[in-house]
Amino acid sequence: MLTREFLLKADCKTSFGDIDEALFWSCEKRAASLSATLACRPDQSPVWIFGYGSLMWNPIFEAAEVAPGRLEGWHRAFCLRLIAGRGTVTAPGRMLALKEGGSTSGLAFRLPESRLHDELELLWKREMITGCYLPTWCELELEDGRNVTALVFIMDPRHPLYETDSCRSTIAPLIAQASGPLGTNAQYLYALEQELGKRGMQEAALTRLAAEVRALQSHSAAR
């Protein structure tokens, strides 16, 4: 599993697998992206991060508060071709992102203002290795009724790793076989399924996908 210590020490160019030079974002480019995002910060209210994938069970950053929340207008989709971390260029998997439409339940993390920049730098190192996401300020409704402004990592549909076809029959075989330095693609999917179930946020489409991936892996192991 990805750890804070690993990420702090990681060389992004080599630690996650082979990344095409044309896709790789340098630390300078990540820093510029973070600065541009903070320049668009709507106000000086606390900064929240919306976690809808691995941030839910392995956030790594330090949060002053964690609360369930719902994001309207976006839904989970395995639409990001995975060539590093839990996949490779020759055997790519699929990573989760957000696509327009619907809604998504997840966890909101309030970052401490005193450590804001350090925690965001670490988050950018984790999420923006190839600049595949659009860090976007969105309104988020927390479970307790509060409305907060949260930073959300949304798929950039212009990115070379964006995949338009994210239907189950296409992505299940990819997720079933992909692996990389951080583990298997299937482990990621199963961890997400478990976390959503634990929090009462189950999604039927994701449950069906996990079942199909398990069936594919069982069939492969039986051969």
Side-chain angles (χ1 to χ4, degrees), residues 57-68:
W57 69 85
N58 187 30
I60 290 180
F61 51 72
E62 296 180 7
E65 182 183 358
V66 183

Side-chain angles (χ1 to χ4, degrees), residues 37-72:
T37 301
L38 286 175
C40 297
R41 185 177 176 181
D43 52 46
Q44 293 306 304
S45 62
V47 171
W48 293 78
I49 306 297
F50 181 60
Y52 57 88
S54 62
L55 291 182
M56 293 182 67
W57 69 85
N58 187 30
I60 290 180
F61 51 72
E62 296 180 7
E65 182 183 358
V66 183
R70 175 171 288 275
L71 176 68
E72 295 295 335

